[in-house]
Amino acid sequence: MTSSGPEDTQRLAAWLADKAEPGTVIGLDGDLGAGKTAFSQGFAKQLGVSGVVNSPTFTIIKEYAGRLPLYHMDVYRLSLDEADELGLDEYFYGDGVCIVEWSRLITELLPEQYLHIHMETIDEFHRTITLTSVGEPYGSWCRELTEKWGK
């Protein structure tokens, strides 16, 4: 799908947040400035998170309270071994939702089922957003999204 700005990206994120349940894992990849934080902000808002949501670049994991706990991770600065030492499974298989920025760097550590989202910058305002399901329920989410928005 194509996003025409942060509002479109956040609308997609809100739609996905409505589907989220404990154990939902979203891997989020894209260049710097592609909209990963805008996506995370829209997702968090729809979960009922209050306050500022920003990239956890230096803290690695930020936790937010909402309808479900939200664990927002940024693994850009970690090696695979460092990420493995964080005990991410406790988050992935816990009672909340995980958004993992730069997930391609830790693919080996991700659960067997997750939703991968790749954002690519087209120009200052437009982004191509590609969703790839790895298992269920994410396959049905992608099919429903295609039916809903035709993209």
Side-chain angles (χ1 to χ4, degrees):
M1 71 181 299
T2 300
S3 169
S4 298
E7 299 80 18
D8 279 354
T9 300
Q10 291 178 345
R11 185 169 55 106
L12 168 64
W15 186 84
L16 291 169
D18 282 342
K19 302 228 168 276
E21 55 191 37
T24 295
V25 176
I26 297 175
L28 199 53
D29 286 293
D31 295 332
L32 292 172
K36 296 182 297 295
T37 300
F39 176 91
S40 299
Q41 290 168 338
F43 197 98
K45 181 178 179 183
Q46 191 67 18
L47 281 182
V49 171
S50 60
V52 176
V53 173
N54 51 29
S55 183
T57 302
F58 296 103
T59 56
I60 311 301
I61 302 171
K62 288 188 176 180
E63 299 182 18
Y64 301 96
R67 174 178 67 83
L68 296 167
L70 174 62
Y71 308 114
H72 185 197
M73 307 173 184
D74 185 325
V75 298
Y76 182 76
R77 289 174 167 45
L78 298 179
S79 69
L80 189 58
D81 288 339
E82 290 169 328
D84 193 27
E85 291 174 9
L86 288 176
L88 297 178
D89 282 353
E90 292 180 34
Y91 292 98
F92 294 155
Y93 298 103
D95 60 353
V97 176
C98 295
I99 295 179
V100 184
E101 293 191 26
W102 302 100
S103 66
R104 65 180 170 77
L105 300 175
I106 63 162
T107 302
E108 298 89 342
L109 302 178
L110 294 173
E112 289 183 21
Q113 300 182 61
Y114 66 97
L115 179 64
H116 183 255
I117 300 175
H118 184 266
M119 303 174 141
E120 187 172 339
T121 302
I122 298 171
D123 60 33
E124 182 180 355
F125 300 105
H126 299 86
R127 308 289 187 262
T128 299
I129 302 176
T130 306
L131 284 73
T132 305
S133 65
V134 180
E136 290 298 334
Y138 310 108
S140 61
W141 293 8
C142 289
R143 287 187 295 278
E144 189 176 335
L145 180 64
T146 299
E147 290 171 12
K148 180 175 177 62
W149 284 322
K151 299 175 185 181

